[in-house]
Amino acid sequence: EKEIHPPFPPFFPELMFLAKPPLDLNAPQKKDPVHISADHIVQGAKKETVFAWGNVKIKHQDRTLWADKVWVDNATGVGKAKGHVRLVSGDGTRMRARQTLFDLKAEQGKVFKARGRLGKQFFITGKKIHRLSNTHYKIKKGSLTSCEGTLPDWEIEADFADVIRGDRALFKNGVLKVRDIPVLYLPVGYIPINQERKTGFLMPNFGWSDTAYVLFKGAFFWAINKWSDATFYVERELGGIRPTVEYRYTPMQGTAGQITGTFFEDNASNQDLWKVDATHSQKLPNKFNLRGALDLGSNRSLTQFDDSIEIRSRLHSDSFANIERSWSNSSLDITTRYQDTVGVDRDDTLGQLPNISYKIQSLPILKTPLYFNMDTSAAWFVTDLNSDPGEDELFKTSRFDFHPQLRLSLPLSPWFSITPTVGVRETLYGRGLRTEGSSNKKLSRFSRESFDVSIATVGPKVDRIF
């Protein structure tokens, strides 16, 4: 193993594209050694060049090259490698090639008949790949994809590509292949490969829908800042134009949400239809968690224009807010929910404003075989007793439920046990309701008491896991 330093500026005619002016020996030089190991190493009489062959390995900074034969110019760092060439960089780049011309100092080079990985994201091949800098590459007669394997899900083959790693790829005379099947020819193309979001227009969609018929959809993406962005859609379908706005945000770890609003002027019915959806999740102090959703829309729903059967067939909207926290043996849940019928033929409403529940899991009582558990809830309800869309008959009530239980575990043998459980339940209602014919009679508050007893037996089990 030798340590090569650049004392003299030699000249290689075959490496003219990498040639540099001679070094000023009086100027201070940055010591950046090159380590070479091989089965055989020959150095020139004046130490101008080094020729190595047989399992050659060159280490320079964070880059390593393996080859069968290598020539290196001591002064300029210009060199040439042939035979089973492999290049590995600290940024994740890995290449295999038949031959390479390199300049260690300028961090430039060319590889021929190469394939490998560019950084940690993209896989490339090329008849000739020219490295201009640590991030800039030019590819001749090559391909680019982000999919692993010998048969990638997609790839672009092009006569020429200009790639800036972490930014973009420009190519000409390209062919888009899906599972090695050509599907689209592109005379010129642009692929964003930036890890960061960018503001700009998205690829428009053209197509046919069973509900919207002829369809065109264009979109514009706006990267507002590091924690929020928005997408603006314009959709042209049978009956009118449908604009939509999506806004997404994650201002801090544990907090995220999305707001979506859409509007549609239906020329067939002369009605204005709209829909607003929102979701939000957030971690609160003291290990509480908040989740919520807003589901609002016009009386005549926009879901009839959606291709999804699940969305078109849904019966009601659902808006809610939930705060919950769990401890080792208990949990607290506070939920406010409002559901309304989707459609114009009925008007069914159900609201929980709110529903508070506290549960205690089975806890041992001191050191006895007795266990205690409890379910407690309090809720306030509102509903519409008249399903006619033109009339509202709201009914409000409340409920408090208290249900403690005692459980005794009796293991009679290692393979048989009996567990009796006894409990008491008390339920209080703020108001009652009785239906008499076509009318509803409201009642005063009332209560309900009950007892429950159960016995569970566990016997021997035979099982096998396949």
Side-chain angles (χ1 to χ4, degrees):
E1 185 171 290
K2 293 182 178 293
E3 190 171 282
I4 311 301
H5 297 281
F8 301 107
F11 178 74
F12 281 84
E14 59 184 354
L15 306 178
M16 276 296 295
F17 80 100
L18 295 173
K20 301 185 301 181
L23 298 178
D24 183 1
L25 298 180
N26 297 321
Q29 300 294 324
K30 181 180 179 180
K31 187 175 181 179
D32 205 0
V34 178
H35 297 277
I36 300 180
S37 62
D39 294 342
H40 308 279
I41 299 179
V42 176
Q43 194 169 31
K46 297 183 179 181
K47 297 185 178 182
E48 297 97 344
T49 60
V50 172
F51 174 47
W53 68 96
N55 299 317
V56 184
K57 178 182 177 182
I58 300 179
K59 176 74 174 176
H60 179 249
Q61 296 178 349
D62 65 342
R63 298 183 297 277
T64 306
L65 180 146
W66 290 268
D68 294 339
K69 298 179 181 180
V70 173
W71 294 266
V72 179
D73 181 330
N74 288 354
T76 62
V78 173
K80 180 178 181 180
K82 286 185 177 182
H84 301 94
V85 177
R86 288 188 299 138
L87 300 113
V88 176
S89 298
D91 59 4
T93 298
R94 297 174 179 270
M95 291 280 180
R96 289 181 178 270
R98 181 170 297 181
Q99 178 179 328
T100 179
L101 307 177
F102 56 86
D103 185 338
L104 297 174
K105 296 189 175 298
E107 300 185 358
Q108 295 182 353
K110 288 183 179 180
V111 289
F112 302 89
K113 295 185 178 180
R115 74 168 47 243
R117 185 175 67 187
L118 188 61
K120 296 181 180 180
Q121 184 181 11
F122 282 90
F123 299 87
I124 62 174
T125 65
K127 182 178 180 181
K128 181 172 71 173
I129 301 176
H130 188 181
R131 170 178 164 145
L132 301 176
S133 69
N134 190 33
T135 59
H136 193 184
Y137 296 81
K138 289 187 177 181
I139 305 171
K140 183 178 180 181
K141 297 287 184 181
S143 65
L144 174 69
T145 181
S146 60
C147 305
E148 297 184 9
T150 56
L151 188 62
D153 292 337
W154 71 269
E155 69 175 346
I156 296 243
E157 290 187 354
D159 289 345
F160 173 79
D162 189 317
V163 180
I164 298 180
R165 185 163 55 86
D167 185 11
R168 55 92 180 129
L170 298 172
F171 63 88
K172 63 180 181 180
N173 292 331
V175 176
L176 173 63
K177 288 187 174 182
V178 177
R179 303 294 291 181
D180 205 32
I181 300 175
V183 296
L184 182 64
Y185 169 75
L186 299 169
V188 292
Y190 172 88
I191 303 175
I193 56 177
N194 194 345
Q195 295 292 335
E196 298 180 358
R197 300 164 302 149
K198 282 187 176 182
T199 299
F201 288 95
L202 304 180
M203 186 71 71
N205 292 331
F206 302 89
W208 176 269
S209 168
D210 292 337
T211 57
Y213 302 100
V214 179
L215 177 67
F216 167 78
K217 189 174 184 179
F220 178 80
F221 178 77
W222 180 22
I224 302 173
N225 49 39
K226 291 184 177 181
W227 55 268
S228 67
D229 55 51
T231 306
F232 301 87
Y233 298 95
V234 176
E235 189 171 350
R236 178 67 174 92
E237 55 190 47
L238 183 68
I241 297 177
R242 180 175 172 179
T244 303
V245 178
E246 291 181 357
Y247 173 71
R248 295 162 292 269
Y249 58 89
T250 55
M252 63 185 70
Q253 187 176 5
T255 301
Q258 176 174 324
I259 302 173
T260 304
T262 183
F263 175 82
F264 180 62
E265 184 179 358
D266 188 6
N267 296 331
S269 63
N270 239 359
Q271 288 184 324
D272 294 337
L273 311 179
W274 58 273
K275 186 78 172 67
V276 175
D277 294 290
T279 59
H280 179 82
S281 62
Q282 182 177 351
K283 291 185 178 181
L284 301 177
N286 299 318
K287 297 183 179 180
F288 281 90
N289 295 312
L290 168 66
R291 295 186 304 113
L294 187 65
D295 187 357
L296 302 175
S298 54
N299 292 333
R300 184 165 170 257
S301 176
L302 264 171
T303 57
Q304 59 185 309
F305 299 100
D306 203 289
D307 286 332
S308 171
I309 297 178
E310 180 181 357
I311 295 178
R312 290 210 313 266
S313 61
R314 72 176 193 149
L315 300 178
H316 59 265
S317 63
D318 186 12
S319 300
F320 72 90
N322 170 262
I323 297 177
E324 60 87 17
R325 183 184 172 180
S326 298
W327 291 268
S328 58
N329 293 99
S330 61
S331 62
L332 174 66
D333 187 283
I334 304 174
T335 300
T336 298
R337 173 169 262 110
Y338 187 83
Q339 297 175 331
D340 198 4
T341 304
V342 175
V344 295
D345 54 342
R346 290 184 62 87
D347 181 20
D348 295 326
T349 302
L350 175 62
Q352 301 178 28
L353 309 170
N355 184 3
I356 304 173
S357 63
Y358 179 70
K359 297 182 179 182
I360 298 178
Q361 309 298 329
S362 294
L363 290 174
I365 300 176
L366 300 178
K367 295 183 179 180
T368 67
L370 287 173
Y371 289 82
F372 171 78
N373 65 276
M374 181 182 68
D375 286 354
T376 306
S377 65
W380 289 259
F381 301 96
V382 59
T383 187
D384 189 357
L385 301 178
N386 194 334
S387 61
D388 189 344
E391 296 184 17
D392 290 330
E393 187 180 349
L394 297 180
F395 174 70
K396 300 178 181 178
T397 187
S398 59
R399 181 192 67 200
F400 175 76
D401 186 66
F402 177 71
H403 186 201
Q405 286 182 316
L406 284 176
R407 178 169 57 88
L408 178 63
S409 180
L410 299 174
L412 302 181
S413 69
W415 48 268
F416 185 75
S417 65
I418 297 177
T419 306
T421 302
V422 60
V424 61
R425 189 165 193 171
E426 178 74 20
T427 308
L428 304 176
Y429 292 91
R431 297 176 72 181
L433 183 70
R434 178 182 298 158
T435 302
E436 298 178 350
S438 59
S439 61
N440 298 309
K441 182 180 179 181
K442 299 178 181 178
L443 307 176
S444 59
R445 67 180 61 185
F446 65 97
S447 64
R448 180 186 64 184
E449 295 79 25
S450 64
F451 297 91
D452 55 270
V453 178
S454 64
I455 297 178
T457 61
V458 178
K461 299 179 181 179
V462 178
D463 64 86
R464 178 179 176 183
I465 298 176
F466 300 90

